[in-house]
Amino acid sequence: MKLLNLCLILLATVSSPAIFASEINSGDTAWILTSTALVLLMTLPGLALFYGGLVRTKNVLSVLMQCFAIACIVSVLWVLYGYSLSFYGEGNFFGNGDALFLSNVARDGLSVGYATSIPESLFVIFQMTFAIITPALVVGAFAERMKFPAMCLFSALWLTLVYIPACHMVWGGGLLTDWGVVDLAGGLVVHATCGVAALVVAMVLGPRKGFPGPSLVPHNRPMVVMGAAFLWVGWFGFNAGSAWTAGTDAGMAMLVTHISAAVGALTWMTAEWFKTGKPTVVGIATGMVAGLATITPASGTVGPQGALLIGFLAGSVCFYATQLIKGTLKIDDSLDVFPVHGVGGIMGILLLSFLGTKGILSVGSSGDFNPITQFIIQLKGVGVIVLWTVIFTWIAIKATSLITSLRVGEEDESEGLDLIEHNETGYQN
Amino acid sequence: MKLLNLCLILLATVSSPAIFASEINSGDTAWILTSTALVLLMTLPGLALFYGGLVRTKNVLSVLMQCFAIACIVSVLWVLYGYSLSFYGEGNFFGNGDALFLSNVARDGLSVGYATSIPESLFVIFQMTFAIITPALVVGAFAERMKFPAMCLFSALWLTLVYIPACHMVWGGGLLTDWGVVDLAGGLVVHATCGVAALVVAMVLGPRKGFPGPSLVPHNRPMVVMGAAFLWVGWFGFNAGSAWTAGTDAGMAMLVTHISAAVGALTWMTAEWFKTGKPTVVGIATGMVAGLATITPASGTVGPQGALLIGFLAGSVCFYATQLIKGTLKIDDSLDVFPVHGVGGIMGILLLSFLGTKGILSVGSSGDFNPITQFIIQLKGVGVIVLWTVIFTWIAIKATSLITSLRVGEEDESEGLDLIEHNETGYQN
Amino acid sequence: MKLLNLCLILLATVSSPAIFASEINSGDTAWILTSTALVLLMTLPGLALFYGGLVRTKNVLSVLMQCFAIACIVSVLWVLYGYSLSFYGEGNFFGNGDALFLSNVARDGLSVGYATSIPESLFVIFQMTFAIITPALVVGAFAERMKFPAMCLFSALWLTLVYIPACHMVWGGGLLTDWGVVDLAGGLVVHATCGVAALVVAMVLGPRKGFPGPSLVPHNRPMVVMGAAFLWVGWFGFNAGSAWTAGTDAGMAMLVTHISAAVGALTWMTAEWFKTGKPTVVGIATGMVAGLATITPASGTVGPQGALLIGFLAGSVCFYATQLIKGTLKIDDSLDVFPVHGVGGIMGILLLSFLGTKGILSVGSSGDFNPITQFIIQLKGVGVIVLWTVIFTWIAIKATSLITSLRVGEEDESEGLDLIEHNETGYQN
Amino acid sequence: MKLITAIIKPFKLQEVREALIAAGIDGLTLTEVKGYGRQKGHTELYRGAEYTVDTLPKIKLEILIEDDKLKVVTETITSSAGTGKIGDGKIFITSVDDVIRIRTGETGGDAI
Amino acid sequence: MKLITAIIKPFKLQEVREALIAAGIDGLTLTEVKGYGRQKGHTELYRGAEYTVDTLPKIKLEILIEDDKLKVVTETITSSAGTGKIGDGKIFITSVDDVIRIRTGETGGDAI
Amino acid sequence: MKLITAIIKPFKLQEVREALIAAGIDGLTLTEVKGYGRQKGHTELYRGAEYTVDTLPKIKLEILIEDDKLKVVTETITSSAGTGKIGDGKIFITSVDDVIRIRTGETGGDAI
Ligand SMILES: Nc1ncnc2c1ncn2[C@@H]1O[C@H](COP(=O)(O)OP(=O)(O)O)[C@@H](O)[C@H]1O
Ligand SMILES: Nc1ncnc2c1ncn2[C@@H]1O[C@H](COP(=O)(O)OP(=O)(O)O)[C@@H](O)[C@H]1O
Ligand SMILES: Nc1ncnc2c1ncn2[C@@H]1O[C@H](COP(=O)(O)OP(=O)(O)O)[C@@H](O)[C@H]1O
């Protein structure tokens, strides 16, 4: 009886969720619910404002509209087939159709594979917010000239042909999962894909009228800063949410994410200060985004000191990459998606091999850990994703151009997309 | 062995917070704390910006001020008597005075009734954020012409005469609770009441000078989009917070909420595209709000497929309702509160009978579940709330008009409320 | 015995918070992760927008840049030595160097001292967000005239000489911890330091050209309201996060925080209405901030009724203090940091002695509780912090002036800091 | 040819425009300006302090017409823009040497 | 001295400016205005309702010149601002009594 | 009657206004304009690239006066708006045929 009592007393004090691995943990669930809200905040309003402020007055609504429409279209496609093709089944490049229309997602269902302590419904929507932001990032490449119907079609195709397979390959049990590629929150899946796609799309579409030239400048820099702030705050959900639990991994992910953002911002600001004589607010904000993009894949494995280094490389390399693409190569990747996200994401993927903590990285790769081995795995991963993205982005944009014209006419471009495409104007007096 | 079995059985059931009804669960609490912040974000800055962007430059501050003042006034009244009259006691229409001044709310107290795993203090403030947003939504009906003192008085009366009884009837153990009306997060309590009130107030006040006409257009559409984005993100707390726990219900509520928002947005955009030839950003944002309002009561019971349908109906029906009210009936419900929130909320309340999952709905209603039976219960609930709201909104606005004049003069209306009512101007050069 | 062992083993796998004091609790961790995001939101974009809207068009970017740069600089210094000097070691005024470069912060480490149920990495970053906002608040004192390089240097020095020792003294086991000073979320550490520093800096720098005069008015009041809204929402993380757990303390902290904000807002609005004849939106927003600053130290100990009183005193006293500093004393503390934060924070620190709940306060002070005794302790605390801040802020600003000039030239001030210091302009047509 | 410059109250713009169209005037150029005159400005508030804004928003209309329309136009504006209260504004009449329509190169009366 | 006032399409501004500089004109003042004329405005949308905005954004250039440059300037503007479509705008020429350079107090031709 | 058009530096506006009031001028109309002249513009930055903005914000004052006040007004403006640096701006003087006060219908000197 004493024994029984003891048991009961002990039990009475237990309130833990985790007793059997496959049960919902309310703390983890609370954190991923929150993270989902934070990642949605990154796109709406974060990215929308960041991009919207960077374009000219006459195009501000078109950019907001593009981000908004992408968020909606991707959400629907994710329900219809995106989630299923990304996270169900064992294919190398695509999953299977077991969860089409989310038919498999029970009200009480637990998440599959990793993330075992949260509901599957939550896993679906958390991942959906990643699927939303990736094509929305590509908006920066074709801003101020692409037609809205073409934009919708292209984004839907691109999600299907690039994002979903990349997601499946890296996170969903596909080829790169098998290879042991480490990518916590999307250096490859999100940033490399959108960055490379941006280059391809920018080259196919051609530059804006007046590029390069002094007329293509931000119409509302406070809006840019505001958007950047939401990206920063939201990114806590992006990276620390990707730890799937509310524990030490999430805490460290948040800390290193923040450090890299801060150092990336200061480095870019300083580089610009040296080059041009003045520090700028668009500069510090852009450096911050570069710092965030670069730490993204590594935020599950590096520590604070590694984050300082990653932030520094993000701020400096991405700054010079921006000069290169626009200044030297004269490619009108209008809002610098490739140099910031593409370069940052790939750099982070590669750096993490050397900056990671041993014990953690070996989880991802097979057997015991060796930085060089991991680096080669990561490099192969980059190769596959970059190649895949180049090919299928090109297919997506070309296919779109066969169905509907990609660009507005020259005069319409002068007039501005807000009026031409949406019969609206941003600001009235 | 028996003892062992007993232990195992006990352990097997432990994972849940609910084993002993009266203990705080830190995960649930974390999520409701977060949800409270999210729902406050919906009003400030969400709704304030959404509405503020929709009015003309000369009235932007007046709308922000109205939302802000309502938030403050309601908070105080909620502490003084609102919470007590809503959630204490068994009256059909009103609660009792046991928690006036929150005297009953102990520092360590647990929440009453449902929501048994969070502190009562948290229950008080989470509910308070709902009480704030409801009268703030009504601002859309009287924007650009109501005097500020009248607005304050009316909102206080309306909270007392409409919101509090509706809240008590549906959620606080009153008449509709007894009938078994299902309303997860406020299709009736929030959206039907504010929507119907908007119609009444708009008709009593009469239209703005220049209505209908081309001069009454949004002064800052990026502000509208920004506000809409915060509504979207905040609504995750509104609906998924109304699950009271951080578990599968919250995950599913968030997922279906998001789906309905996305589909509502796309549907409205498409309807508008057909009707006018162009998709607009104010349109897509409004459709999104309609999608959110409509799923609100149903977000605890429908699944992803049901959410697709609800979103579709929200986007299409609310779009045409907007045309009807302003275009055909010429009622200047200035920012379309009734067609979006009223129509949406009521539609959601009725639809949930048919789209809900059996096992869940039967919790709300008595005995075993039958869609038709539930539909009739829901319909009766709508009848009571609509009737009650019409009568008491009318009383509240008429009582206000006896004490202080409702509208600014014609010349002052031309001048703008910012200067006339607040001696401030929105933007300076 | 076997049976007993089995039970124990099963229990040992339980990850419950309560069972062994020094284990991660996922719910608490979820809430502090969220709170960290909320407190960052307070500075970026909250405070940045609040301050940015209050200045003139030509200086909007400079203010955003100052807030942004401070956030980044402080983050780096916090990693290098700030955290260590604040929270490690037993010195009266400074901690020690055991965690320089966060070398002591293990991936799996638990937080030290209080906050025992969250990871140390999370403790580091949560505290970092407080260290960020404090010097950012001082921006309000030197806005529209300080040079950017001087601003950077001063902020770094000030963090080191004022914030870190204040933080260590009150929260990190230093002098005021020993005395038993109660300061939940930073009435002394955050608001008294920034407020007093604002006065010192404003007096050393001298007033803006045109002060006092009608030209120094907000350029974008909707931006001010938006910023205020984020401060409100973010403050939930500030105060309720400072409860360290997701339980009853956090719930009550959030409730009283909200009440004080609402009452502070209404009181300021009413005072202004009496004095000037009109209620204003900048007024209601400022009163809200005063209400929040004042409840900050007391939010762990007062109840709802006490919060009503604190909010009332905040709104009225801070309103008149603002008139005094600018109107009577003619000190150009440009955005009223001292009267709002300094006066509010100190008032809250002192009031809590009388409004606190007995059982709780005695935890902070020694032995059994007596309001007068506690008041004297609090008063001594105020004395030390105010004196320390006056002296070291003066040293920091003077040291800065020896290295680089503090103010832009008169003509540059007319031109605006955006162009002069950053070669950017806020808005383009 | 004459250039009529009218400074009017912004909320009268719609009415003036319609009256002008009715009078057969279908070309004009508007500018947002600030006026200072006998009409007092207003008080604004900022954190309990009052300050006076003594300029008021006005709309400037510039209308180029042939001489014979002078009377019609000034009378149309006077009657449609007037409220009888201080600050209704002014109309200036200046002579213009010539006018050119950029599109066609036409000059004089044809170009209006 | 003459004051040339040109109303042009905003997107032509850059071109006109460059042409004027090439023609030796290095001083001018720009104003953002709204124009109403033969060129139709556009339709805007708001929640399913259409409304017409019949004024169009234009740029007004004011250029003070000595009489002998009149022809060069009007021709430069006409050729650089023209698209051949309705709404290209107009050029007004008015006589100016005198001009003063504030900095130096110079007047007349020296002050331009 | 004369119309005095002065282009001045924005930060001098307050001073000029006060000087004019002191000189008995209590009516004027302001427009925000952009000026291009000998005063160089400034460089702006965008993500590491520099671009030149060669127009500068200026304020245009339009003041209608009777002929006898011409000298007072131009001198008042010249002295209060001058900094002695390039870009101080210009004053144009043009003759006005007539002026009408909309409120009363007064014309000529009475209408100013
Ligand atoms: N002398 C003037 N020169 C230029 N504009 C003037 C002059 N006097 C008045 N105005 C313009 O006319 C507007 C109305 O003038 P005001 O004196 O206020 O009233 P009223 O037109 O009834 O006499 C002013 O706001 C200003 O824009
Ligand atoms: N009578 C007028 N007075 C003043 N401005 C005019 C007049 N007619 C036209 N304008 C200006 O010139 C612009 C172009 O005129 P519009 O009639 O549209 O085309 P076009 O110049 O090809 O004849 C108008 O938008 C308006 O700003
Ligand atoms: N020829 C001109 N026509 C019209 N406005 C002019 C002309 N020249 C100068 N301005 C205006 O006067 C301002 C000052 O002229 P600028 O040549 O820079 O210096 P300054 O007045 O000292 O000679 C310019 O910014 C422009 O607005």
Side-chain angles (χ1 to χ4, degrees), chain D residues 27-29 62 64 101 103, chain E residues 35-36 38-39 58 87 89-90:
Chain D
L28 52 80
T29 301
E62 286 168 305
L64 198 77
R101 187 191 305 280
R103 173 163 48 97
Chain E
Y36 174 76
R38 296 187 197 176
Q39 185 188 7
K58 299 278 170 187
K90 306 212 185 296

Side-chain angles (χ1 to χ4, degrees), chain A residues 51-388:
Chain A
Y51 279 179
L54 287 172
V55 299
R56 288 163 290 169
T57 311
K58 60 187 175 187
N59 295 320
V60 57
L61 297 182
S62 76
V63 165
L64 299 181
M65 183 74 178
Q66 288 163 358
C67 293
F68 219 105
I70 286 174
C72 297
I73 293 169
V74 169
S75 299
V76 174
L77 298 182
W78 194 250
V79 171
L80 300 190
Y81 59 77
Y83 173 64
S84 186
L85 293 182
S86 298
F87 287 101
Y88 273 69
E90 306 291 320
N92 273 336
F93 303 105
F94 281 94
N96 66 29
D98 286 355
L100 290 180
F101 278 78
L102 302 185
S103 54
N104 257 23
V105 179
R107 175 164 285 272
D108 296 342
L110 282 166
S111 176
V112 290
Y114 45 100
T116 50
S117 59
I118 63 167
E120 184 169 11
S121 54
L122 181 54
F123 184 80
V124 171
I125 185 165
F126 181 67
Q127 286 293 348
M128 189 194 286
T129 58
F130 283 66
I132 286 171
I133 202 170
T134 312
L137 283 163
V138 184
V139 165
F142 54 68
E144 307 203 271
R145 58 199 185 285
M146 198 171 189
K147 281 196 166 184
F148 184 71
M151 193 298 306
C152 292
L153 183 56
F154 167 72
S155 297
L157 286 174
W158 191 83
L159 180 86
T160 311
L161 297 177
V162 180
Y163 183 79
I164 290 172
C167 182
H168 180 75
M169 278 189 252
V170 180
W171 291 337
L175 194 65
L176 278 61
T177 318
D178 297 345
W179 287 354
V181 170
V182 174
D183 180 7
L184 184 81
L188 285 177
V189 178
V190 175
H191 297 285
T193 59
C194 76
V196 170
L199 263 196
V200 173
V201 171
M203 289 169 75
V204 171
L205 248 76
R208 288 167 293 173
K209 226 184 120 183
F211 175 88
S215 60
L216 304 169
V217 292
H219 88 286
N220 192 327
R221 284 180 171 95
M223 190 185 270
V224 176
V225 176
M226 213 189 317
F230 292 120
L231 286 172
W232 194 339
V233 172
W235 223 294
F236 283 178
F238 202 84
N239 287 0
S242 294
W244 300 111
T245 51
T248 50
D249 283 348
M252 189 55 91
M254 193 179 270
L255 177 60
V256 297
T257 297
H258 184 87
I259 293 172
S260 182
V263 178
L266 290 176
T267 308
W268 181 299
M269 180 188 89
T270 310
E272 194 172 46
W273 204 337
F274 270 110
K275 179 172 184 266
T276 66
K278 298 276 178 185
T280 69
V281 76
V282 170
I284 203 171
T286 310
M288 178 215 80
V289 176
L292 290 168
T294 308
I295 196 81
T296 292
S299 55
T301 46
V302 302
Q305 301 83 16
L308 290 169
L309 184 64
I310 285 183
F312 173 75
L313 291 171
S316 47
V317 174
C318 295
F319 175 75
Y320 290 106
T322 302
Q323 311 312 308
L324 181 75
I325 298 293
K326 268 201 182 148
T328 313
L329 302 181
K330 309 269 183 243
I331 298 171
D332 188 14
D333 172 7
S334 307
L335 310 180
D336 306 304
V337 186
F338 177 74
V340 174
H341 295 274
V343 171
I346 291 171
M347 192 158 60
I349 280 284
L350 299 178
L351 283 170
L352 68 78
S353 325
F354 304 104
L355 299 173
T357 321
K358 209 167 171 179
I360 313 163
L361 272 177
S362 61
V363 175
S365 56
S366 55
D368 55 356
F369 178 72
N370 174 315
I372 302 296
T373 320
Q374 185 66 36
F375 178 74
I376 290 169
I377 294 172
Q378 300 290 99
L379 204 60
K380 279 168 56 188
V382 170
V384 169
I385 293 295
V386 168
L387 204 70
W388 183 282

Side-chain angles (χ1 to χ4, degrees), chain B residues 136-161:
Chain B
L137 282 163
V138 184
V139 164
F142 55 67
E144 309 203 271
R145 58 200 185 285
M146 197 171 191
K147 281 194 167 185
F148 184 70
M151 194 298 305
C152 293
L153 183 57
F154 167 72
S155 297
L157 287 173
W158 191 84
L159 180 86
T160 311
L161 297 176

Side-chain angles (χ1 to χ4, degrees), chain E residues 27-29 62-64 101 103 112, chain F residues 7 35-39 58 85-90 92:
Chain E
L28 53 80
T29 302
E62 286 169 304
I63 312 166
L64 197 78
R101 187 191 305 278
R103 171 164 48 98
I112 296 183
Chain F
I7 317 277
Y36 174 77
R38 296 185 197 178
Q39 183 188 10
K58 300 277 169 189
K85 299 211 187 112
I86 286 187
D88 276 353
K90 306 210 186 300
F92 314 158

Side-chain angles (χ1 to χ4, degrees), chain C residues 78 82-96 112-114 123 127 163-178 181 183 189 244:
Chain C
W78 194 251
Y83 173 64
S84 186
L85 294 182
S86 299
F87 288 100
Y88 273 69
E90 305 291 317
N92 272 336
F93 302 105
F94 281 94
N96 66 29
V112 289
Y114 45 98
F123 184 80
Q127 287 293 350
Y163 183 79
I164 290 173
C167 182
H168 180 75
M169 278 189 253
V170 180
W171 291 339
L175 194 65
L176 277 61
T177 318
D178 297 344
V181 169
D183 180 6
V189 178
W244 300 112

Side-chain angles (χ1 to χ4, degrees), chain B residues 6-180:
Chain B
L6 182 63
C7 280
L8 288 175
I9 287 160
L10 282 169
L11 280 166
T13 55
V14 159
S15 72
S16 122
I19 216 174
F20 301 103
S22 53
E23 286 204 2
I24 300 280
N25 175 296
S26 67
D28 296 346
T29 302
W31 173 234
I32 306 304
L33 287 163
T34 306
S35 294
T36 304
L38 288 171
V39 185
L40 180 58
L41 187 82
M42 286 176 68
T43 306
L44 297 175
L47 186 69
L49 293 174
F50 187 66
Y51 279 0
L54 287 172
V55 298
R56 287 163 291 168
T57 311
K58 61 188 174 185
N59 296 319
V60 57
L61 297 182
S62 75
V63 165
L64 300 180
M65 182 74 178
Q66 287 162 359
C67 294
F68 219 104
I70 286 173
C72 297
I73 293 168
V74 169
S75 300
V76 174
L77 299 182
W78 194 249
V79 171
L80 301 188
Y81 58 78
Y83 173 64
S84 186
L85 294 181
S86 298
F87 287 101
Y88 273 68
E90 305 291 317
N92 273 335
F93 303 106
F94 281 95
N96 66 29
D98 286 354
L100 290 180
F101 278 77
L102 303 185
S103 54
N104 257 23
V105 179
R107 174 163 287 273
D108 295 343
L110 281 166
S111 176
V112 290
Y114 44 100
T116 50
S117 59
I118 64 166
E120 184 170 10
S121 54
L122 181 54
F123 184 80
V124 171
I125 184 164
F126 181 67
Q127 287 293 349
M128 188 194 286
T129 57
F130 283 66
I132 286 170
I133 202 169
T134 312
L137 282 163
V138 184
V139 164
F142 55 67
E144 309 203 271
R145 58 200 185 285
M146 197 171 191
K147 281 194 167 185
F148 184 70
M151 194 298 305
C152 293
L153 183 57
F154 167 72
S155 297
L157 287 173
W158 191 84
L159 180 86
T160 311
L161 297 176
V162 180
Y163 184 79
I164 289 172
C167 182
H168 180 75
M169 278 190 252
V170 180
W171 291 337
L175 193 66
L176 277 62
T177 318
D178 297 344
W179 286 355

